[in-house]
Amino acid sequence: MERNKRSVKDTYKSKDTEEWLDIWFTRPLGYIFAKFFNALHVHPNAVTLLSMAIGAFGGFCFYFGELNWSIAGVCSMIFANILDSTDGQLARMSGKSSLWGRILDGFAGDVWFFAMYLAIVLRLTPQNISLAPLPVEFDVRWGVWIWVAFFISGVLCHKPQVELSDYHRNVYLWFQSGKGEITDSKTVNDSVNETSFRTRFLWKWAMIFYRSYTRRQEKQTPHFQTLFNMVKQRYGNDLPQTLRDDFCTAAKPILFWDNVITFNARIIVMYISVLIGAEWIYLLFEICVMSLIWIIIRIKHENICKRIANGIIQGKY
């Protein structure tokens, strides 16, 4: 049993960046599937595509608004999330990690939530505005307003929140062990320019989307960009241990909130909202609660980066 636990831990990126639900539920189950797929020599990207399809199906189940369909959607999403854990564990287990896999893995989550949002919007559009389970209903249809609400929720709130959370965790991993997947937009832009639509059509589009993704992450973290460039110029990858320790000690508490805004807390609130027929609760949660957390951790992380950059200038490290 202890050997099996150690094997599961070996498929973590870092325990510091793992959510408690993933440690106790998603990762152990994902590890079982990873061993199964590894024995069959299945490529991690194939598992990602499978999770994408199952997650999209789960999202569309929410269109019907009936309890049995909603339960089917929740179960499908849970299984898709386990497979989403599986692909990364399988990649590390088999040594088949790749940029393609990283891009697909991020795209899978977008597909799931797009399917969920679209299904719920299409169902609610012709319905009257209701604050169920409260006995409050207005004689006005959701109409275009539900589309506006989910656009604000999904595009203006959800997307930058998840992008920042993913970036923070990779920044932490880079300072902790040098293993964070930090790709600057200039490097991605060079890949875009060097790739031809004629010979590598899908890769060209993947790089275009990934370039946009990295640019948005960099735009959210200007003080980190200054710190990162300073550290690379002065130390390369051979960072002083005191600098690593100082950054990780200061940034570790933020990881908890990064994990809150990334997936599990968000999807659990979505599950509850759909099962009780109160999607408006999810909208308020994502737009208000998650946005407040996002603003706070963004400011705190940037202040840490600014402080450590000043420490480098003053010769502290």
Side-chain angles (χ1 to χ4, degrees), residues 4-15 18-19 21-39 42-45 47-48 51 78-98 101-102 105 181:
N4 186 57
K5 288 183 178 179
R6 288 199 300 270
S7 297
V8 174
K9 291 177 182 178
D10 288 341
T11 63
Y12 296 168
K13 287 184 178 180
S14 165
K15 190 173 182 180
E18 296 286 343
E19 298 181 65
L21 185 60
D22 290 335
I23 291 174
W24 294 105
F25 177 74
T26 312
R27 293 300 190 194
L29 290 177
Y31 180 68
I32 293 172
F33 281 104
K35 290 199 296 183
F36 171 74
F37 287 123
N38 191 45
V42 176
H43 197 280
N45 291 351
V47 178
T48 304
S51 76
I78 291 173
F79 184 43
N81 188 38
I82 292 171
L83 290 180
D84 185 58
S85 175
T86 298
D87 60 12
Q89 291 173 285
L90 177 60
R92 289 184 284 277
M93 183 186 296
S94 61
K96 295 179 180 178
S97 298
S98 66
R102 175 164 164 74
D105 189 57
E181 297 167 331

Side-chain angles (χ1 to χ4, degrees), residues 13-14 171-180 237 244 248:
K13 287 184 178 180
S14 165
V171 167
Y172 182 89
L173 286 171
W174 188 80
F175 274 99
Q176 183 188 56
S177 60
K179 295 180 180 179
N237 290 319
R244 292 184 184 274
C248 290

Side-chain angles (χ1 to χ4, degrees), residues 50-91:
L50 179 60
S51 76
M52 197 183 301
I54 294 173
F57 169 77
F60 283 119
C61 286
F62 297 152
Y63 169 78
F64 301 96
E66 299 174 4
L67 184 59
N68 57 339
W69 277 104
S70 295
I71 292 174
V74 169
C75 291
S76 297
M77 290 298 304
I78 291 173
F79 184 43
N81 188 38
I82 292 171
L83 290 180
D84 185 58
S85 175
T86 298
D87 60 12
Q89 291 173 285
L90 177 60

